[in-house]
Amino acid sequence: MRRANPFLAVVAALGAMLAIACLAAPWILAALSLDPTETDLLQRFAPPSVAHPLGTDDLGRDLLARLLSGGRVSIVVGLAAAVIAATIGSLLGLIAGYFGGRFDAVLMRLTDGVIALPLLAVLIVLAAIDLRKIGIPDHLAGSPEAGLIRIVVITAAFGWTTVARLVRAATLSLKARDFVRAAIALGAPPWRVMLFHILPNAMSPILVATALAVGEVIKFESVLSFLGLGIQPPTASWGNMLTNAQELIWTAPHLAIWPGALVLTTVALCNFLADAIADRLRPQGRVRPA
């Protein structure tokens, strides 16, 4: 019997607390009567107080409100992009591993081509494209949701390769197992064999890769927002909060420390969670008595 892993419990608890606090930001801020976009130039760089638990920024906006709102944006983008990328990679990996032959050759060469791209440079170029010049109406291109959707789409479009390779390898192994061969012999169609027999048994690498991908997407979102190509103000994200704080690093270092620490903590928690999931789902061999 496998013992409970206290490390997994601690990491899961910390990650859940951070995610819940950020995702529930609108209700928490309403209860505290805080507004992340409200400016008060008479309260610039105010120290922590009852009204402003973490103080205010250079425009008098409450720092706690902006951290929670920015975390909500960053975590939603990370989760959405990671889930979409895992779905794409799982489907391509299943098809490549199950059918083999030309399907496998074409899909794996496509995967190699995507992996060979300088990912950060490609993301910067795609994030810099003016949506109005590719036919997106002005009222949609200028909306806050457009920046969120753009980051999710471009990161998911290039982030599926790891999952695809892992699922392909698992499919090649599982395809030779007796229960899969029995399902094929009984006349089960390929889609049923892949979805109901192979995919559930390949969930371990998918979960690990997805947990890692959440941290990677949050990191890429922070970089793009820091460069002014991601989430645009007044919508807060941890990345554009760092952009606003870079010129104030000596006079108000806490404006950079808080969002930077949250990015670091979130990415580290995702990595620790992936390690804990891998350890939890790793099969344990039984030791026979001598």
Side-chain angles (χ1 to χ4, degrees):
M1 182 176 179
R2 187 186 294 270
R3 296 180 180 179
N5 189 339
F7 179 70
L8 175 59
V10 172
V11 169
L14 290 175
M17 291 171 57
L18 180 60
I20 291 172
C22 292
L23 295 177
W27 298 276
I28 295 175
L29 297 181
L32 297 176
S33 300
L34 298 175
D35 185 351
T37 61
E38 182 181 356
T39 61
D40 185 356
L41 297 180
L42 299 178
Q43 293 291 327
R44 297 174 69 242
F45 305 116
S49 62
V50 175
H52 304 289
L54 295 180
T56 61
D57 64 4
D58 55 320
L59 295 178
R61 297 171 296 191
D62 185 84
L63 185 57
L64 176 61
R66 289 184 62 76
L67 286 171
L68 290 176
S69 297
R72 184 168 184 261
V73 170
S74 297
I75 290 176
V76 167
V77 168
L79 288 173
V83 170
I84 294 173
T87 302
I88 296 172
S90 298
L91 292 176
L92 294 179
L94 281 171
I95 294 172
Y98 185 82
F99 291 104
R102 293 183 178 178
F103 285 102
D104 187 21
V106 171
L107 292 177
M108 287 303 101
R109 296 299 76 74
L110 174 63
T111 303
D112 293 339
V114 175
I115 292 175
L117 294 173
L119 183 56
L120 183 58
V122 172
L123 294 181
I124 290 174
V125 171
L126 293 178
I129 294 175
D130 188 353
L131 296 179
R132 297 175 181 85
K133 294 183 178 180
I134 59 175
I136 305 297
D138 290 349
H139 67 281
L140 293 178
S143 64
E145 293 78 10
L148 295 176
I149 296 173
R150 186 212 295 254
I151 297 298
V152 170
V153 170
I154 63 177
T155 50
F158 295 93
W160 51 267
T161 54
T162 299
V163 177
R165 282 185 169 277
L166 292 173
V167 173
R168 172 184 176 270
T171 302
L172 290 172
S173 175
L174 292 167
K175 190 171 64 171
R177 300 284 293 274
D178 290 340
F179 67 92
V180 174
R181 296 172 64 183
I184 296 173
L186 290 173
W191 66 268
R192 184 175 183 85
V193 175
M194 288 188 289
L195 295 181
F196 292 97
H197 296 279
I198 295 178
L199 183 60
N201 290 283
M203 286 305 296
S204 175
I206 294 175
L207 292 176
V208 173
T210 303
L212 290 172
V214 173
E216 287 295 314
V217 173
I218 291 175
K219 187 168 61 177
F220 281 126
E221 182 276 323
S222 299
V223 171
L224 293 176
S225 296
F226 178 79
L227 296 174
L229 301 173
I231 309 302
Q232 299 298 319
T235 302
S237 78
W238 291 336
N240 63 28
M241 290 180 69
L242 287 171
T243 301
N244 297 334
Q246 64 178 329
E247 296 179 357
L248 304 169
I249 190 65
W250 298 113
T251 57
H254 64 286
L255 297 182
I257 291 174
W258 280 110
L262 286 174
V263 171
L264 175 63
T265 301
T266 304
V267 174
L269 283 175
C270 290
N271 291 340
F272 290 148
L273 182 60
D275 290 340
I277 291 173
D279 181 68
R280 181 69 178 177
L281 298 179
R282 184 180 297 117
Q284 289 185 338
R286 296 180 179 178
V287 179
R288 296 182 179 180

